[in-house]
Amino acid sequence: MCFDLDSAPPIAPISGAAVSHDDLVLEARDGNRFAAFAASPDETAPTGVVILPDVRGLYRFYEELALRFAERGYAAVAFDYFGRTAGAEKRGDDFEYMPHVQQTTPDGVQADVAACVAHLRARETGTVFTVGFCFGGRHSWLAAAGGHGLTGSIGFYGRPGPGNDGSPGPTQWAAEFACPILGLMGGDDQGIPVEVVDAFDGALDEAGIEHELVVYPGAPHSFFDRKQEEFASASEDAWNRVLAFLQRLS
């Protein structure tokens, strides 16, 4: 897993921010009903963010992250991957997620992304980004080729190469991307060697896709965590880059 159950985004809440939040059940084009968590400023937000969690799906870390975006003026929807196999109900901390992860498909994830994008656009949010972590980072980048009309795609420590089953990853899909890319990677991520990040960078260069891939020296996978105090400066820089990316392209 990417984060411990008691992990939290390394972002300070904005006291007194006027935001609303709600638990949702959304429906994808294939009829899948899945859980989501929406947070938004009380005033109409012109820009929205779809949050793709790590392999564990929707849990508290990503609900808090949605709130942090809303406090800064962005409408956000974080969603769960396992509606097709585990239903849309709330789950406990002992949920065995890996059997469900193994049953996800890229097409299924992108169908759910599309439903989240539609939910945001139905609320007068015209500009939409994706941001994902680990498993979600990979699929956030893949969403850039998903026909969602995204303005930008952000991934924290996603695997850009082929999947374990040989399916093409973001590096292989780069020529089909339709929006700028931001990648935030750990330089000491044991599962994603820097050479793999370099190959992704090269593919984006070759495809002519605007992008920035940042590698934080010494940072592990899942460094973006309040508990990872030794990597607080990397987390702060990464968050500032996310906000700058959103602001520049919105």
Side-chain angles (χ1 to χ4, degrees), residues 172-210:
Q172 290 71 45
W173 276 101
E176 305 300 321
F177 286 178
C179 65
I181 297 294
L182 176 62
L184 303 156
M185 314 296 287
D188 196 28
D189 189 328
Q190 299 303 302
I192 307 173
V194 173
E195 308 84 70
V196 174
V197 181
D198 289 343
F200 186 30
D201 188 50
L204 292 167
D205 279 338
E206 185 175 347
I209 302 300
E210 178 186 341

Side-chain angles (χ1 to χ4, degrees), residues 106 137-143 145 158-177 196 199-200 203-204:
R138 175 185 180 85
H139 285 281
S140 177
W141 292 326
L142 289 173
R159 287 182 57 194
N164 292 333
D165 61 355
S167 59
T171 298
Q172 290 71 45
W173 276 101
E176 305 300 321
F177 286 178
V196 174
F200 186 30
L204 292 167

Side-chain angles (χ1 to χ4, degrees), residues 132-155:
F133 295 77
C134 181
F135 179 85
R138 175 185 180 85
H139 285 281
S140 177
W141 292 326
L142 289 173
H148 307 301
L150 299 177
T151 300
S153 172
I154 304 165

Side-chain angles (χ1 to χ4, degrees), residues 5-59:
L5 290 171
D6 60 348
S7 294
I11 308 161
I14 297 178
S15 179
V19 302
S20 303
H21 61 86
D22 197 12
D23 293 313
L24 305 175
V25 175
L26 300 179
E27 185 168 333
R29 57 179 174 258
D30 63 355
N32 175 47
R33 289 170 56 80
F34 60 97
F37 178 89
S40 61
D42 286 348
E43 296 184 358
T44 299
T47 300
V49 179
V50 177
I51 299 172
L52 290 82
D54 62 66
V55 291
R56 200 159 47 204
L58 181 62
Y59 62 98

